[in-house]
Amino acid sequence: MTDAPEDTEASAHEAHGGGLGSRLNWLRAAVLGANDGVVSTAGLVVGVAGATESRAALLTAGLSGLLAGSMSMAAGEYVSVSTQRDSEEAALAQEKRELREDPEAELAELTTLLAARGLSADVAREAAEQLTERDALRAHARVELGIDPDDLTNPWHAAGASFLAFTVGALLPLLAIVLPPTSVRLWVTVGSVLAALAFTGWWSARLGEAPAGRAILRNVAGGALAMAVTYGAGSLLGATGI
């Protein structure tokens, strides 16, 4: 009987805490990276296409945007996730110190937390004692802090995911603008970009278990607006000879 609360607690945390949190972190990095790659590179090359028909100029602008954007995304994710990991490690260190200095108070705190999740006072106390005997720090990390000590956020993974996602997203508008004939390159680029944004909107909604319609509309509308603005600016600059 005493094992049931621990098993229930661990499985509930993995299902609703660590598993979902990890998936959403990867989803956030991948979707943001892919969307930024598609939209920013599309806006850049469409803007240049409004000013010139030079394939070399389009390729140079697209490659420069791809490299700058992918490195920027990777660096930003690395810094952000490193800060999160530092916070997790600091919280674990503090919890370890509190367990060493006042174990009885920490046991009472764990009992209260378990009771707040629906266990009776007696069962909560017994479960807290069992968890503390097995691994006090792990029990407090999961129940109190919502942290899995064996699965801390990894800044290198997040940076790599963002870099790859941005690069894959950026390749689509880059290839779409430089490969087709001049007469259709703009329409091919716009069509492929909007289709890609509709897909990433659907993908993010599906993995995040959210309504797909709004996500698709946001992505497509944002990308269309970005390309319209940059193409208008490029055409204006091209017409004035700047």
Side-chain angles (χ1 to χ4, degrees):
M1 177 179 178
T2 57
D3 289 342
E6 178 186 357
D7 295 339
T8 302
E9 181 63 40
S11 62
H13 174 78
E14 290 171 1
H16 300 290
L20 179 60
S22 176
R23 184 176 70 173
L24 290 180
N25 281 337
W26 281 96
L27 173 64
R28 176 181 60 86
V31 170
L32 286 178
N35 276 347
D36 280 358
V38 171
V39 175
S40 63
T41 306
L44 179 62
V45 296
V46 166
V48 175
T52 178
E53 296 183 351
S54 169
R55 194 181 302 271
L58 292 169
L59 181 61
T60 300
L63 281 176
S64 298
L66 184 154
L67 292 174
S70 59
M71 293 302 296
S72 175
M73 285 291 296
E77 277 297 313
Y78 180 82
V79 170
S80 175
V81 176
S82 292
T83 300
Q84 181 181 344
R85 186 184 179 94
D86 290 345
S87 298
E88 292 173 345
E89 291 176 340
L92 289 173
Q94 179 179 349
E95 196 63 40
K96 186 175 183 179
R97 183 172 60 254
E98 291 173 351
L99 285 167
R100 183 177 62 251
E101 295 174 352
D102 196 349
E104 287 302 319
E106 290 301 300
L107 178 60
E109 182 181 30
L110 183 58
T111 301
T112 300
L113 290 170
L114 291 174
R117 298 191 177 193
L119 299 179
S120 67
D122 291 340
V123 174
R125 178 71 181 189
E126 189 173 359
E129 290 174 350
Q130 291 284 335
L131 290 170
T132 299
E133 287 177 6
R134 293 191 179 187
D135 193 328
L137 179 60
R138 184 183 303 278
H140 280 268
R142 290 186 170 182
V143 178
E144 180 181 348
L145 304 176
I147 297 174
D148 184 350
D150 296 327
D151 190 26
L152 298 181
T153 52
N154 190 315
W156 289 108
H157 289 171
S162 293
F163 181 91
L164 290 176
F166 187 99
T167 299
V168 170
L171 281 173
L172 174 68
L174 175 58
L175 295 177
I177 201 74
V178 298
L179 294 181
T182 302
S183 59
V184 297
R185 65 169 48 143
L186 181 62
W187 298 112
V188 170
T189 302
V190 171
S192 60
V193 165
L194 295 182
L197 292 175
F199 173 75
T200 57
W202 171 84
W203 177 51
S204 64
R206 181 176 176 83
L207 293 182
E209 299 180 359
R214 286 180 296 179
I216 293 173
L217 181 60
R218 284 194 301 263
N219 276 14
V220 171
L225 178 62
M227 288 187 289
V229 170
T230 55
Y231 182 77
S235 298
L236 180 61
L237 292 174
T240 57
I242 298 177

